[in-house]
Amino acid sequence: MEILEQLFVLAHLLGMAAVVGSAVFVARGVATPALVWGARAQLVTGLVLVGLNEAADDELNTTKVAVKLLVALAVVACAEIAAAGERKGRGSRAQLVTAAGALALLNTAIAVLWR
Ligand code: HEM
Protein backbone atom coordinates (compact mmCIF):
# COMPACT_ATOMS: atom_id res chain seq x y z
CA MET A 1 0.00 0.00 0.00
CA GLU A 2 2.83 2.34 0.98
CA ILE A 3 4.61 1.88 -2.38
CA LEU A 4 1.29 2.41 -4.24
CA GLU A 5 0.78 5.70 -2.42
CA GLN A 6 4.34 6.77 -3.18
CA LEU A 7 3.84 5.99 -6.88
CA PHE A 8 0.64 8.04 -6.98
CA VAL A 9 2.37 10.96 -5.23
CA LEU A 10 5.04 10.71 -7.95
CA ALA A 11 2.36 10.73 -10.69
CA HIS A 12 0.63 13.64 -8.90
CA LEU A 13 3.87 15.65 -8.90
CA LEU A 14 4.53 14.84 -12.60
CA GLY A 15 1.00 16.02 -13.45
CA MET A 16 1.65 19.25 -11.57
CA ALA A 17 4.96 19.67 -13.46
CA ALA A 18 3.17 19.13 -16.81
CA VAL A 19 0.52 21.79 -16.12
CA VAL A 20 2.76 24.41 -14.52
CA GLY A 21 5.68 23.68 -16.85
CA SER A 22 3.57 23.98 -19.97
CA ALA A 23 1.40 26.97 -19.03
CA VAL A 24 3.88 29.03 -17.05
CA PHE A 25 7.33 28.18 -18.36
CA VAL A 26 7.26 26.59 -21.85
CA ALA A 27 4.23 27.19 -24.09
CA ARG A 28 2.61 30.30 -22.68
CA GLY A 29 -0.86 30.87 -24.10
CA VAL A 30 -1.03 27.48 -25.86
CA ALA A 31 -3.19 24.59 -24.63
CA THR A 32 -0.64 21.81 -25.16
CA PRO A 33 -1.48 18.10 -24.66
CA ALA A 34 0.77 18.25 -21.56
CA LEU A 35 -1.45 20.97 -20.07
CA VAL A 36 -4.71 19.15 -20.78
CA TRP A 37 -3.55 15.66 -19.77
CA GLY A 38 -1.68 17.03 -16.76
CA ALA A 39 -4.86 18.75 -15.54
CA ARG A 40 -6.89 15.53 -15.98
CA ALA A 41 -4.16 13.52 -14.24
CA GLN A 42 -4.22 15.85 -11.21
CA LEU A 43 -7.90 15.21 -10.71
CA VAL A 44 -7.59 11.41 -11.00
CA THR A 45 -4.36 10.96 -9.02
CA GLY A 46 -5.57 13.39 -6.32
CA LEU A 47 -8.79 11.44 -5.81
CA VAL A 48 -6.86 8.14 -5.75
CA LEU A 49 -4.52 9.62 -3.11
CA VAL A 50 -7.52 10.56 -0.96
CA GLY A 51 -8.77 6.96 -1.24
CA LEU A 52 -5.36 5.48 -0.38
CA ASN A 53 -4.99 7.79 2.64
CA GLU A 54 -8.48 6.85 3.84
CA ALA A 55 -7.73 3.15 3.36
CA ALA A 56 -4.57 3.53 5.45
CA ASP A 57 -6.53 5.43 8.14
CA ASP A 58 -4.26 8.45 7.65
CA GLU A 59 -5.74 11.77 8.78
CA LEU A 60 -6.38 14.15 5.87
CA ASN A 61 -7.27 17.83 6.14
CA THR A 62 -10.68 17.52 4.45
CA THR A 63 -11.19 21.29 4.09
CA LYS A 64 -7.86 21.57 2.31
CA VAL A 65 -8.68 18.61 0.04
CA ALA A 66 -12.11 20.11 -0.80
CA VAL A 67 -10.52 23.46 -1.72
CA LYS A 68 -7.90 21.66 -3.85
CA LEU A 69 -10.67 19.70 -5.60
CA LEU A 70 -12.55 22.90 -6.53
CA VAL A 71 -9.36 24.58 -7.77
CA ALA A 72 -8.38 21.45 -9.77
CA LEU A 73 -11.85 21.35 -11.40
CA ALA A 74 -11.34 24.97 -12.47
CA VAL A 75 -7.90 24.05 -13.90
CA VAL A 76 -9.46 21.21 -15.95
CA ALA A 77 -12.28 23.48 -17.17
CA CYS A 78 -9.84 26.20 -18.31
CA ALA A 79 -7.57 23.67 -20.05
CA GLU A 80 -10.44 21.80 -21.77
CA ILE A 81 -12.18 24.98 -23.01
CA ALA A 82 -8.87 26.41 -24.28
CA ALA A 83 -7.99 23.16 -26.08
CA ALA A 84 -11.49 22.82 -27.60
CA GLY A 85 -11.27 26.40 -28.88
CA GLU A 86 -7.94 25.64 -30.56
CA ARG A 87 -9.28 22.40 -32.09
CA LYS A 88 -12.24 24.26 -33.60
CA GLY A 89 -9.92 26.84 -35.09
CA ARG A 90 -11.08 29.67 -32.88
CA GLY A 91 -7.52 30.62 -32.14
CA SER A 92 -5.57 30.27 -28.93
CA ARG A 93 -7.27 31.26 -25.69
CA ALA A 94 -4.23 32.55 -23.93
CA GLN A 95 -6.05 33.90 -20.89
CA LEU A 96 -7.60 30.51 -20.11
CA VAL A 97 -4.21 28.81 -20.41
CA THR A 98 -2.67 31.42 -18.10
CA ALA A 99 -5.54 30.92 -15.65
CA ALA A 100 -4.99 27.12 -15.69
CA GLY A 101 -1.27 27.61 -14.92
CA ALA A 102 -1.91 30.18 -12.19
CA LEU A 103 -4.57 28.02 -10.52
CA ALA A 104 -2.26 24.98 -10.64
CA LEU A 105 0.42 27.10 -8.95
CA LEU A 106 -2.17 28.12 -6.35
CA ASN A 107 -2.99 24.45 -5.70
CA THR A 108 0.72 23.66 -5.34
CA ALA A 109 1.04 26.45 -2.75
CA ILE A 110 -2.06 25.15 -0.93
CA ALA A 111 -0.61 21.59 -0.94
CA VAL A 112 2.70 22.69 0.52
CA LEU A 113 1.85 25.68 2.76
CA TRP A 114 -1.52 24.65 4.29
CA ARG A 115 -0.64 22.08 6.96
C1 HEM B 1 -3.91 21.35 -10.14
C2 HEM B 1 -4.20 20.42 -9.25
C3 HEM B 1 -3.29 19.97 -8.13
C4 HEM B 1 -2.00 20.30 -7.82
C5 HEM B 1 -1.08 21.29 -8.55
C6 HEM B 1 -1.61 19.54 -6.64
C7 HEM B 1 -0.36 19.57 -6.04
C8 HEM B 1 0.06 18.74 -5.02
C9 HEM B 1 1.40 18.67 -4.49
C10 HEM B 1 2.58 19.54 -4.96
C11 HEM B 1 1.41 17.73 -3.50
C12 HEM B 1 2.61 17.27 -2.64
C13 HEM B 1 2.61 18.04 -1.35
C14 HEM B 1 3.53 17.46 -0.30
O1 HEM B 1 3.70 16.22 -0.25
O2 HEM B 1 4.02 18.24 0.50
C15 HEM B 1 0.06 17.20 -3.39
C16 HEM B 1 -0.34 16.23 -2.48
C17 HEM B 1 -1.63 15.76 -2.36
N1 HEM B 1 -2.72 16.12 -3.14
FE1 HEM B 1 -2.71 17.43 -4.69
N2 HEM B 1 -2.69 18.76 -6.24
C18 HEM B 1 -3.72 18.99 -7.12
C19 HEM B 1 -4.99 18.42 -7.08
C20 HEM B 1 -5.44 17.55 -6.10
C21 HEM B 1 -6.80 17.03 -5.99
C22 HEM B 1 -7.94 17.32 -6.97
C23 HEM B 1 -6.82 16.24 -4.89
C24 HEM B 1 -7.98 15.45 -4.33
C25 HEM B 1 -9.23 15.75 -4.44
C26 HEM B 1 -5.49 16.24 -4.30
C27 HEM B 1 -5.12 15.53 -3.18
C28 HEM B 1 -3.83 15.44 -2.68
C29 HEM B 1 -3.45 14.60 -1.55
C30 HEM B 1 -4.37 13.66 -0.75
C31 HEM B 1 -2.07 14.80 -1.36
C32 HEM B 1 -1.18 14.16 -0.26
C33 HEM B 1 -0.45 12.96 -0.76
C34 HEM B 1 0.28 12.21 0.37
O3 HEM B 1 1.21 12.77 0.92
O4 HEM B 1 -0.15 11.08 0.65
N3 HEM B 1 -4.68 17.05 -5.06
N4 HEM B 1 -0.74 17.84 -4.33
Side-chain angles (χ1 to χ4, degrees):
M1 208 63 158
E2 178 83 23
I3 180 75
L4 201 59
E5 195 179 325
Q6 287 167 334
L7 289 176
F8 271 97
V9 172
L10 178 63
H12 202 61
L13 290 176
L14 292 176
M16 181 269 287
V19 177
V20 176
S22 180
V24 181
F25 297 114
V26 181
R28 284 193 204 167
V30 182
T32 61
L35 176 82
V36 179
W37 283 102
R40 292 171 183 162
Q42 286 313 87
L43 211 51
V44 175
T45 55
L47 289 171
V48 170
L49 281 171
V50 173
L52 289 172
N53 275 280
E54 289 292 333
D57 267 344
D58 289 344
E59 287 282 317
L60 271 183
N61 181 340
T62 46
T63 315
K64 169 178 158 173
V65 170
V67 171
K68 282 187 69 189
L69 179 58
L70 288 179
V71 174
L73 283 171
V75 173
V76 170
C78 291
E80 296 287 0
I81 295 167
E86 281 178 24
R87 269 198 308 276
K88 290 176 185 161
R90 292 190 194 134
S92 102
R93 306 203 163 174
Q95 283 147 334
L96 283 174
V97 174
T98 307
L103 288 169
L105 269 181
L106 172 67
N107 245 7
T108 307
I110 291 173
V112 174
L113 302 177
W114 185 348
R115 292 288 168 186

Short mmCIF file of all heavy atoms in Angstrom, two decimals, residues 5 9 12-13 16 42-43 46-47 49-50 53 60 65 68-69 72 75 104 107-108 111-112 115, ligand 1:
data_model
loop_
_atom_site.label_atom_id
_atom_site.label_comp_id
_atom_site.label_asym_id
_atom_site.label_seq_id
_atom_site.Cartn_x
_atom_site.Cartn_y
_atom_site.Cartn_z
N GLU A 5 1.00 4.28 -2.74
CA GLU A 5 0.78 5.70 -2.42
C GLU A 5 1.95 6.54 -2.91
O GLU A 5 1.75 7.61 -3.49
CB GLU A 5 0.60 5.86 -0.90
CG GLU A 5 0.03 7.21 -0.55
CD GLU A 5 -0.18 7.39 0.96
OE1 GLU A 5 -0.52 6.40 1.63
OE2 GLU A 5 0.03 8.51 1.43
N VAL A 9 1.83 9.62 -5.54
CA VAL A 9 2.37 10.96 -5.23
C VAL A 9 3.31 11.38 -6.35
O VAL A 9 3.27 12.53 -6.83
CB VAL A 9 3.10 10.98 -3.86
CG1 VAL A 9 3.81 12.32 -3.66
CG2 VAL A 9 2.12 10.74 -2.72
N HIS A 12 1.27 12.37 -9.25
CA HIS A 12 0.63 13.64 -8.90
C HIS A 12 1.62 14.80 -9.11
O HIS A 12 1.25 15.85 -9.63
CB HIS A 12 0.20 13.56 -7.43
CG HIS A 12 -0.89 14.51 -7.03
ND1 HIS A 12 -2.14 14.53 -7.59
CD2 HIS A 12 -0.91 15.50 -6.09
CE1 HIS A 12 -2.88 15.47 -7.02
NE2 HIS A 12 -2.15 16.07 -6.10
N LEU A 13 2.85 14.60 -8.74
CA LEU A 13 3.87 15.65 -8.90
C LEU A 13 4.22 15.84 -10.38
O LEU A 13 4.44 16.96 -10.84
CB LEU A 13 5.13 15.31 -8.09
CG LEU A 13 4.95 15.40 -6.57
CD1 LEU A 13 6.23 14.95 -5.86
CD2 LEU A 13 4.62 16.83 -6.15
N MET A 16 1.47 17.84 -11.95
CA MET A 16 1.65 19.25 -11.57
C MET A 16 2.75 19.89 -12.45
O MET A 16 2.58 20.99 -12.97
CB MET A 16 2.02 19.34 -10.08
CG MET A 16 2.21 20.73 -9.55
SD MET A 16 3.89 21.29 -9.66
CE MET A 16 4.66 20.32 -8.38
N GLN A 42 -4.17 15.33 -12.58
CA GLN A 42 -4.22 15.85 -11.21
C GLN A 42 -5.51 15.47 -10.51
O GLN A 42 -5.50 15.10 -9.33
CB GLN A 42 -4.07 17.38 -11.22
CG GLN A 42 -2.67 17.85 -11.50
CD GLN A 42 -1.64 17.12 -10.68
OE1 GLN A 42 -1.17 16.07 -11.07
NE2 GLN A 42 -1.30 17.64 -9.53
N LEU A 43 -6.60 15.54 -11.29
CA LEU A 43 -7.90 15.21 -10.71
C LEU A 43 -7.94 13.73 -10.30
O LEU A 43 -8.30 13.37 -9.18
CB LEU A 43 -8.97 15.50 -11.77
CG LEU A 43 -10.35 15.93 -11.32
CD1 LEU A 43 -10.28 17.08 -10.34
CD2 LEU A 43 -11.19 16.32 -12.54
N GLY A 46 -5.20 12.77 -7.61
CA GLY A 46 -5.57 13.39 -6.32
C GLY A 46 -6.66 12.59 -5.63
O GLY A 46 -6.58 12.30 -4.43
N LEU A 47 -7.69 12.21 -6.40
CA LEU A 47 -8.79 11.44 -5.81
C LEU A 47 -8.31 10.06 -5.35
O LEU A 47 -8.71 9.57 -4.29
CB LEU A 47 -9.94 11.31 -6.82
CG LEU A 47 -10.71 12.62 -7.07
CD1 LEU A 47 -11.68 12.47 -8.24
CD2 LEU A 47 -11.46 13.07 -5.82
N LEU A 49 -5.31 9.39 -4.33
CA LEU A 49 -4.52 9.62 -3.11
C LEU A 49 -5.42 9.77 -1.89
O LEU A 49 -5.09 9.27 -0.80
CB LEU A 49 -3.64 10.86 -3.26
CG LEU A 49 -2.36 10.66 -4.07
CD1 LEU A 49 -1.68 11.99 -4.35
CD2 LEU A 49 -1.40 9.73 -3.33
N VAL A 50 -6.57 10.44 -2.07
CA VAL A 50 -7.52 10.56 -0.96
C VAL A 50 -7.97 9.16 -0.54
O VAL A 50 -7.97 8.81 0.65
CB VAL A 50 -8.74 11.43 -1.35
CG1 VAL A 50 -9.79 11.40 -0.25
CG2 VAL A 50 -8.31 12.86 -1.61
N ASN A 53 -5.18 7.26 1.27
CA ASN A 53 -4.99 7.79 2.64
C ASN A 53 -6.11 7.32 3.56
O ASN A 53 -5.87 6.96 4.72
CB ASN A 53 -4.93 9.31 2.62
CG ASN A 53 -3.53 9.82 2.32
OD1 ASN A 53 -2.68 9.87 3.19
ND2 ASN A 53 -3.28 10.17 1.08
N LEU A 60 -6.54 13.15 6.92
CA LEU A 60 -6.38 14.15 5.87
C LEU A 60 -7.11 15.41 6.30
O LEU A 60 -8.13 15.34 6.97
CB LEU A 60 -6.99 13.65 4.56
CG LEU A 60 -6.12 12.84 3.61
CD1 LEU A 60 -6.91 12.51 2.36
CD2 LEU A 60 -4.85 13.58 3.24
N VAL A 65 -8.45 19.47 1.20
CA VAL A 65 -8.68 18.61 0.04
C VAL A 65 -9.87 19.13 -0.78
O VAL A 65 -9.83 19.15 -2.01
CB VAL A 65 -8.92 17.14 0.48
CG1 VAL A 65 -9.40 16.30 -0.69
CG2 VAL A 65 -7.64 16.55 1.04
N LYS A 68 -8.75 22.10 -2.74
CA LYS A 68 -7.90 21.66 -3.85
C LYS A 68 -8.74 21.05 -4.97
O LYS A 68 -8.45 21.23 -6.15
CB LYS A 68 -6.85 20.65 -3.37
CG LYS A 68 -5.67 21.30 -2.67
CD LYS A 68 -4.59 20.29 -2.36
CE LYS A 68 -3.90 19.79 -3.61
NZ LYS A 68 -3.00 18.68 -3.34
N LEU A 69 -9.80 20.31 -4.59
CA LEU A 69 -10.67 19.70 -5.60
C LEU A 69 -11.35 20.77 -6.45
O LEU A 69 -11.38 20.68 -7.68
CB LEU A 69 -11.70 18.81 -4.90
CG LEU A 69 -12.71 18.09 -5.80
CD1 LEU A 69 -12.02 17.21 -6.82
CD2 LEU A 69 -13.67 17.26 -4.96
N ALA A 72 -8.79 22.37 -8.70
CA ALA A 72 -8.38 21.45 -9.77
C ALA A 72 -9.47 21.34 -10.84
O ALA A 72 -9.17 21.23 -12.04
CB ALA A 72 -8.07 20.07 -9.19
N VAL A 75 -9.06 24.22 -13.02
CA VAL A 75 -7.90 24.05 -13.90
C VAL A 75 -8.31 23.21 -15.11
O VAL A 75 -8.02 23.55 -16.27
CB VAL A 75 -6.72 23.37 -13.16
CG1 VAL A 75 -5.58 23.04 -14.13
CG2 VAL A 75 -6.21 24.27 -12.04
N ALA A 104 -3.07 26.15 -11.01
CA ALA A 104 -2.26 24.98 -10.64
C ALA A 104 -1.16 25.40 -9.66
O ALA A 104 -0.85 24.67 -8.70
CB ALA A 104 -1.67 24.32 -11.88
N ASN A 107 -2.77 25.75 -6.35
CA ASN A 107 -2.99 24.45 -5.70
C ASN A 107 -1.68 23.86 -5.14
O ASN A 107 -1.68 23.19 -4.11
CB ASN A 107 -3.63 23.46 -6.68
CG ASN A 107 -5.02 23.07 -6.24
OD1 ASN A 107 -5.55 23.62 -5.28
ND2 ASN A 107 -5.61 22.12 -6.93
N THR A 108 -0.58 24.12 -5.84
CA THR A 108 0.72 23.66 -5.34
C THR A 108 1.04 24.37 -4.02
O THR A 108 1.49 23.74 -3.05
CB THR A 108 1.83 23.95 -6.37
OG1 THR A 108 1.44 23.41 -7.62
CG2 THR A 108 3.16 23.36 -5.95
N ALA A 111 -1.10 22.93 -1.33
CA ALA A 111 -0.61 21.59 -0.94
C ALA A 111 0.57 21.69 0.02
O ALA A 111 0.66 20.94 0.99
CB ALA A 111 -0.21 20.80 -2.19
N VAL A 112 1.45 22.63 -0.25
CA VAL A 112 2.70 22.69 0.52
C VAL A 112 2.60 23.57 1.77
O VAL A 112 3.16 23.25 2.82
CB VAL A 112 3.85 23.20 -0.40
CG1 VAL A 112 5.13 23.40 0.39
CG2 VAL A 112 4.08 22.21 -1.53
N ARG A 115 -0.90 23.34 6.23
CA ARG A 115 -0.64 22.08 6.96
C ARG A 115 -1.67 21.86 8.04
O ARG A 115 -2.20 22.78 8.59
CB ARG A 115 0.77 22.10 7.59
CG ARG A 115 1.86 22.07 6.56
CD ARG A 115 1.99 20.71 5.92
NE ARG A 115 2.85 20.77 4.73
CZ ARG A 115 3.02 19.73 3.93
NH1 ARG A 115 2.43 18.61 4.14
NH2 ARG A 115 3.81 19.84 2.88
C1 HEM B 1 -3.91 21.35 -10.14
C2 HEM B 1 -4.20 20.42 -9.25
C3 HEM B 1 -3.29 19.97 -8.13
C4 HEM B 1 -2.00 20.30 -7.82
C5 HEM B 1 -1.08 21.29 -8.55
C6 HEM B 1 -1.61 19.54 -6.64
C7 HEM B 1 -0.36 19.57 -6.04
C8 HEM B 1 0.06 18.74 -5.02
C9 HEM B 1 1.40 18.67 -4.49
C10 HEM B 1 2.58 19.54 -4.96
C11 HEM B 1 1.41 17.73 -3.50
C12 HEM B 1 2.61 17.27 -2.64
C13 HEM B 1 2.61 18.04 -1.35
C14 HEM B 1 3.53 17.46 -0.30
O1 HEM B 1 3.70 16.22 -0.25
O2 HEM B 1 4.02 18.24 0.50
C15 HEM B 1 0.06 17.20 -3.39
C16 HEM B 1 -0.34 16.23 -2.48
C17 HEM B 1 -1.63 15.76 -2.36
N1 HEM B 1 -2.72 16.12 -3.14
FE1 HEM B 1 -2.71 17.43 -4.69
N2 HEM B 1 -2.69 18.76 -6.24
C18 HEM B 1 -3.72 18.99 -7.12
C19 HEM B 1 -4.99 18.42 -7.08
C20 HEM B 1 -5.44 17.55 -6.10
C21 HEM B 1 -6.80 17.03 -5.99
C22 HEM B 1 -7.94 17.32 -6.97
C23 HEM B 1 -6.82 16.24 -4.89
C24 HEM B 1 -7.98 15.45 -4.33
C25 HEM B 1 -9.23 15.75 -4.44
C26 HEM B 1 -5.49 16.24 -4.30
C27 HEM B 1 -5.12 15.53 -3.18
C28 HEM B 1 -3.83 15.44 -2.68
C29 HEM B 1 -3.45 14.60 -1.55
C30 HEM B 1 -4.37 13.66 -0.75
C31 HEM B 1 -2.07 14.80 -1.36
C32 HEM B 1 -1.18 14.16 -0.26
C33 HEM B 1 -0.45 12.96 -0.76
C34 HEM B 1 0.28 12.21 0.37
O3 HEM B 1 1.21 12.77 0.92
O4 HEM B 1 -0.15 11.08 0.65
N3 HEM B 1 -4.68 17.05 -5.06
N4 HEM B 1 -0.74 17.84 -4.33
#
